[in-house]
């Protein structure tokens, strides 16, 4: 099996699993309990919080653990909306559905949402974001790395420009696809809130984090226990949180080397298929190496994905959330690609697990399938 769908999720590394295991069996205490078992769990969570915070350059008190990227985003957007009397929100058209569907739900509660389109390469323009702002704008949310195209968005410049225009506007960024690809220093940026997920960086599924800059007007959306300094009620997923931090530690130890390897896999695979007639690469030069989005003219992505799957190559079209239904990608449509091209688009996404040999093999399989379909 060649797994080229790492933007959907990644394998949990054995080191991470090993670090998590004790918190499921021997040290399974509830972190809110005051006895020894509880204190051990609490210690593990607080240590993990410092690891996550340090990797993204913020204070540990500004990290709230969540059940994943979707919850972090939901909590960010809802929390800011509830804390403000303003009603206008600006988002990019290429956001993950976790953002888009949430702001559309907020519309039913009185929010007014302006959706800003990217350029043809999926790149957001700083000026267009600022121009979309109004006197009553409460929030701007733009992702750091797009999950379908891999485009690196100018989120730091956007945050700076937004704050310059109106320092009261809160800036959120979905950094789920950025965490393993960019070395972040959010403390030194103008970003107020950022959402993360563990399972995109070889951590476990069902755990994530929300960065909330101290002083940001925000209200919790979960009520009950006083966990996470009363910002997210509910018994903590101790093993998951430990796994998240362990994944970050692994990332940290070989960050540059890992990026170079992923880049080499991407390059070799692309080199092996780029000369096929009608194969086109989408997105700009400024993309993370983990994502390659292409289309093959005259071949529907559904057919190509099925044939690749039969040959043991996993890839996807659009985000994993819509992969089951294969709806045309809202990201590519927002970039202005015609529907015919959108329906021919496939995303390959790589991780450190992939080998150069796999890149060569997958390219051969891909060539063969395209040849077969065209000469049927
Ligand atoms: N944002 C982006 C850019 C993503 O790629 C994903 C996952 O596909 C999410 C948010 C949602 O994260 P999670 O699966 O942890 O809920």
């Amino acid at each position: 099996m060649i797994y080229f769908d790492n933007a959907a999720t990644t394998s949990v590394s054995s080191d991470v699993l090993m670090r998590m295991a004790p918190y499921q069996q021997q040290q399974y205490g509830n972190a809110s309990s005051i006895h020894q078992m509880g204190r051990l769990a609490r210690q593990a969570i607080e240590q993990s919080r410092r690891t996550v915070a340090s990797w993204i350059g913020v204070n540990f008190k500004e990290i709230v653990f969540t059940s994943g990227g979707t919850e972090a985003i939901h909590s960010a957007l809802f929390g800011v909306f509830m804390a403000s009397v303003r009603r206008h929100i600006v988002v990019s058209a290429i956001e993950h559905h976790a953002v888009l569907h949430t702001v559309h739900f907020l519309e039913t509660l009185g929010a007014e949402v302006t959706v800003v389109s990217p350029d043809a390469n999926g790149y957001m323009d700083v000026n267009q974001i600022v121009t979309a702002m109004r006197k009553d704008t409460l929030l701007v949310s733009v992702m750091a790395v797009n999950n379908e195209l891999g485009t690196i968005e100018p989120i730091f410049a956007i945050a700076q420009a937004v704050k310059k225009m109106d320092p009261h506007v809160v800036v959120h960024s979905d950094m789920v696809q950025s965490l393993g690809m960019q070395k972040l220093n959010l403390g030194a940026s103008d970003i107020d809130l950022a959402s993360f997920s563990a399972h995109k960086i070889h951590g476990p599924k069902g755990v994530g984090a929300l960065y909330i800059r101290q002083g940001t007007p925000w209200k919790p959306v979960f009520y009950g226990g006083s966990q996470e300094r009363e910002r997210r009620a509910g018994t903590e997923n101790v093993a998951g949180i430990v796994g998240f931090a362990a994944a970050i530690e692994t990332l940290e130890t070989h960050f540059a080397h890992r990026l170079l390897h992923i880049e080499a896999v991407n390059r070799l695979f692309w080199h092996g298929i780029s000369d096929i007639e009608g194969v086109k690469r989408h997105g700009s030069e400024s993309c993370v190496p983990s994502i390659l989005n292409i289309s093959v003219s005259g071949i529907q992505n559904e057919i190509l994905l099925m044939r690749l799957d039969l040959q043991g190559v996993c890839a996807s079209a659009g985000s994993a959330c819509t992969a089951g239904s294969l709806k045309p990608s809202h990201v590519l449509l927002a970039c202005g690609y015609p529907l015919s091209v959108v329906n021919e688009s496939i995303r390959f996404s790589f991780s450190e697990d992939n080998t150069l040999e796999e890149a060569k093999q997958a390219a051969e399989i891909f060539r063969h399938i395209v040849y077969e379909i065209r000469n049927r």
Side-chain angles (χ1 to χ4, degrees):
M1 180 84 78
I2 300 177
Y3 184 80
F4 279 178
D5 198 15
N6 290 278
T9 197
T10 55
S11 68
V12 180
S13 67
S14 21
D15 182 47
V16 168
L17 271 181
M18 238 165 55
R19 301 265 301 272
M20 291 171 66
Y23 296 96
Q24 304 277 28
Q25 287 191 311
Q26 298 91 27
Q27 295 167 22
Y28 52 84
N30 184 323
S32 300
S33 302
I34 54 169
H35 50 62
Q36 220 181 103
M37 284 279 267
R39 290 201 305 274
L40 281 173
R42 166 65 46 216
Q43 257 172 31
I45 291 176
E46 294 317 318
Q47 187 52 45
S48 304
R49 196 185 309 282
R50 285 170 194 267
T51 303
V52 174
S54 147
W55 177 244
I56 61 171
V58 303
N59 188 292
F60 69 94
K61 290 183 187 155
E62 296 172 314
I63 295 293
V64 175
F65 286 115
T66 66
S67 68
T70 301
E71 185 195 311
I73 290 166
H74 186 103
S75 182
L77 306 182
F78 252 86
V80 172
F81 180 74
M82 306 278 271
S84 179
V85 291
R86 296 184 180 191
R87 282 299 168 258
H88 182 242
I89 297 172
V90 178
V91 294
S92 87
I94 56 168
E95 295 300 301
H96 190 273
H97 282 144
V99 170
L100 291 178
H101 290 180
T102 303
V103 292
H104 289 317
F105 180 73
L106 288 178
E107 280 181 314
T108 68
L109 302 180
E112 288 174 36
V113 179
T114 300
V115 180
V116 181
S117 293
D119 72 7
N121 287 317
Y123 197 70
M124 295 307 302
D125 180 64
V126 180
N127 291 329
Q128 279 196 37
I129 295 286
V130 174
T131 308
M133 286 168 63
R134 305 192 321 209
K135 275 204 176 81
D136 63 337
T137 301
L138 67 109
L139 172 73
V140 170
S141 186
V142 176
M143 69 201 324
V145 168
N146 181 264
N147 52 303
E148 296 193 32
L149 289 167
T151 32
I152 300 170
E153 302 300 338
I155 180 59
F156 297 101
I158 288 174
Q160 198 177 33
V162 167
K163 292 290 183 184
K164 195 171 163 200
M165 184 75 148
D166 182 348
H168 297 295
V169 174
V170 175
V171 179
H172 167 256
S173 184
D174 170 354
M175 298 198 142
V176 167
Q177 295 290 344
S178 143
L179 186 61
M181 291 287 130
Q182 297 177 306
K183 186 78 190 82
L184 301 167
N185 186 4
L186 296 188
S189 79
D190 291 294
I191 294 168
D192 302 299
L193 298 153
S195 299
F196 302 96
S197 179
H199 73 103
K200 312 288 183 177
I201 59 157
H202 302 278
K205 292 173 184 61
V207 61
L210 174 63
Y211 157 63
I212 310 174
R213 182 187 295 282
Q214 228 160 1
T216 303
W218 176 89
K219 278 189 178 163
V221 293
F222 282 31
Y223 293 90
S226 58
Q227 290 91 349
E228 298 295 300
R229 293 188 173 81
E230 303 199 328
R231 291 169 299 180
R232 196 267 187 184
T235 303
E236 299 93 337
N237 172 3
V238 185
I241 290 169
V242 168
F244 189 7
I248 285 181
E249 278 172 21
T250 314
L251 198 70
E252 222 166 349
T253 53
H254 58 290
F255 188 67
H257 177 261
R258 182 176 154 274
L259 282 191
L260 284 176
H261 174 72
I262 293 171
E263 208 174 300
V265 170
N266 183 331
R267 203 178 320 115
L268 193 62
F269 177 65
W270 173 240
H271 181 72
I273 64 167
S274 56
D275 64 330
I276 301 173
E277 202 191 318
V279 167
K280 195 169 164 273
R281 187 179 190 153
H282 306 139
S284 68
E285 288 301 303
S286 171
C287 279
V288 287
S290 51
I291 295 177
L292 174 68
N293 194 304
I294 62 152
S295 58
V296 190
S297 100
I299 303 182
Q300 294 287 297
N301 53 15
E302 228 162 11
I303 292 172
L304 202 44
L305 284 175
M306 209 166 61
R307 296 288 297 268
L308 283 166
D309 191 22
L310 286 172
Q311 301 278 318
V313 179
C314 303
S316 74
S319 62
C321 319
T322 50
S325 57
L326 269 198
K327 277 192 226 151
S329 152
H330 70 281
V331 172
L332 295 178
L333 287 173
C335 294
Y337 286 100
L339 188 59
S340 57
V341 175
V342 175
N343 287 333
E344 292 165 351
S345 300
I346 290 189
R347 177 189 71 183
F348 295 96
S349 49
F350 315 101
S351 84
E352 65 205 69
D353 286 346
N354 298 125
T355 63
L356 295 176
E357 190 47 42
E358 284 180 336
K360 265 194 245 169
Q361 262 182 37
E364 269 167 40
I365 292 170
F366 187 89
R367 294 185 82 85
H368 185 70
I369 291 172
V370 171
Y371 178 83
E372 259 193 12
I373 294 174
R374 286 190 172 150
N375 292 284
R376 222 177 1 213

